[in-house]
Amino acid sequence: RPSDGAGRPRQGPPGPCAEDEGRPASPSPEGDLETRFQAAADSLHRLVAESGNQLPQEAALLAYGLYKQATSGDASGPQPWATQLKARAKYDAWAQQSGVSRQDAMRRYVEVVDGLGC
């Protein structure tokens, strides 16, 4: 019978993870996704800084939209005027992700960033 760590036999039936005793608990899938999402955001930030912002525009806008969806939810606020090209493109990229869950947006963001070679 397994011991309780002090040399005494453990009382009661073993828990569902008794064979894993002594090993650190694995992170939950949600926690792991959060970690991968943050790591991808950090990697993309470094890549943009190192490349002088030379990412393909389509990939950059997709990443932006997914990041905003994951961190802020559906697009809100007024849509910028069409003459405000950069602001309008960013808003539209975010609005295209409306309805995507936070977890799916995070997952897709990680995939996009990985595809950029980060």
Side-chain angles (χ1 to χ4, degrees):
R1 185 170 193 165
S3 74
D4 65 358
R8 298 181 301 254
R10 185 170 2 125
Q11 300 300 313
C17 299
E19 66 276 3
D20 292 335
E21 279 188 67
R23 288 188 227 157
S26 61
S28 69
E30 179 65 27
D32 182 50
L33 180 57
E34 292 274 351
T35 301
R36 291 185 302 130
F37 176 76
Q38 190 57 54
D42 293 344
S43 294
L44 185 58
H45 183 75
R46 277 192 306 276
L47 179 66
V48 168
E50 292 169 1
S51 71
N53 203 19
Q54 297 300 312
L55 294 178
Q57 185 176 8
E58 184 177 317
L61 287 171
L62 178 58
Y64 176 83
L66 290 168
Y67 182 87
K68 287 292 284 185
Q69 185 69 17
T71 58
S72 302
D74 289 346
S76 60
Q79 182 183 42
W81 291 19
T83 56
Q84 298 170 306
L85 299 177
K86 186 175 182 177
R88 176 71 174 258
K90 290 169 72 173
Y91 183 92
D92 289 349
W94 179 18
Q96 287 176 354
Q97 304 305 323
S98 288
V100 174
S101 73
R102 180 173 189 267
Q103 289 76 23
D104 285 343
M106 290 170 64
R107 230 176 262 114
R108 289 177 52 202
Y109 178 84
V110 170
E111 291 170 3
V112 167
V113 172
D114 286 349
L116 293 170
C118 293

